[in-house]
Amino acid sequence: YAMLLSLIFLIVLVAAVVGFVFRHEIKTNFESNLNLALRDYNVTADRHSEAVDTIQRTLHCCGVQNYSDWERTDYFTQRGIPRSCCKSQDDCSEEDLKDLSKAKLKVFVDGCFFLVTSTMESKMSVVAGISFGIACFQLVGIILACCLSQYITNNQYEMV
């Protein structure tokens, strides 16, 4: 049991170190995937389009760097900026969303990449604290399992 807990502890430790070391690559990868999701955005309910809509609605952002990123997409030429970028759903018309100068007043202007990464970085201390707490419990479990094993081994031949 102690060996199994030790193995799990080491796997989590390696995952944390790899995540910390490659955090810049993770950011770059996220940005390129977000750009791809915008490029391939469509009206049909595929997972990538739903994810973009959810991020934009939840974080009150639009596009990758800013709302004008949508201008380079096929979706913009057909329908304009998506409604998930609108500050108020009642105040966004399709004509406003097709004109960037009018849309600037009606949609969120901040890009999602900076907001997502800053939100993740701000929550990292909470994640690190919880991970440290779990690691402490695992270490206590490993020590107690070793003590129990030692106790059983020492008392195996004791006369009753």
Side-chain angles (χ1 to χ4, degrees):
Y1 181 70
M3 290 175 64
L4 179 67
L5 275 179
S6 299
L7 180 66
I8 292 171
F9 179 77
L10 288 175
I11 290 170
V12 170
L13 183 67
V14 167
V17 169
V18 167
F20 181 75
V21 169
F22 293 111
R23 67 186 181 279
H24 297 295
E25 285 81 2
I26 293 170
K27 279 185 182 181
T28 305
N29 217 359
F30 174 70
E31 184 177 18
S32 65
N33 284 331
L34 192 56
N35 276 318
L36 282 172
L38 253 66
R39 191 194 70 206
D40 297 337
Y41 184 89
N42 57 27
V43 184
T44 61
D46 69 327
R47 292 185 331 221
H48 300 287
S49 299
E50 287 178 21
V52 169
D53 285 337
T54 302
I55 289 171
Q56 290 182 152
R57 261 190 235 104
T58 305
L59 294 179
H60 303 293
C61 59
C62 190
V64 178
Q65 300 300 328
N66 59 35
Y67 74 102
S68 63
D69 292 338
W70 283 103
E71 188 178 25
R72 296 184 298 270
T73 64
D74 293 334
Y75 183 83
F76 182 82
T77 56
Q78 297 168 2
R79 298 188 134 185
I81 297 173
R83 295 188 67 79
S84 59
C85 284
C86 293
K87 293 177 185 176
S88 170
Q89 295 296 323
D90 302 330
D91 192 28
C92 267
S93 67
E94 204 167 310
E95 294 79 33
D96 291 339
L97 295 175
K98 286 183 178 180
D99 183 8
L100 279 183
S101 59
K102 289 180 184 176
K104 183 177 184 176
L105 304 171
K106 309 252 178 175
V107 300
F108 303 113
V109 291
D110 297 328
C112 294
F113 175 71
F114 175 73
L115 287 174
V116 168
T117 55
S118 63
T119 301
M120 286 172 51
E121 287 172 357
S122 70
K123 305 293 183 201
M124 286 308 274
S125 60
V126 173
V127 171
I130 291 171
S131 299
F132 181 73
I134 291 171
C136 287
F137 277 117
Q138 281 183 316
L139 288 175
V140 168
I142 292 168
I143 293 168
L144 290 175
C146 288
C147 290
L148 180 62
S149 173
Q150 187 68 30
Y151 178 77
I152 290 170
T153 303
N154 286 345
N155 291 329
Q156 184 175 2
Y157 300 108
E158 188 175 296
M159 298 288 286
V160 180

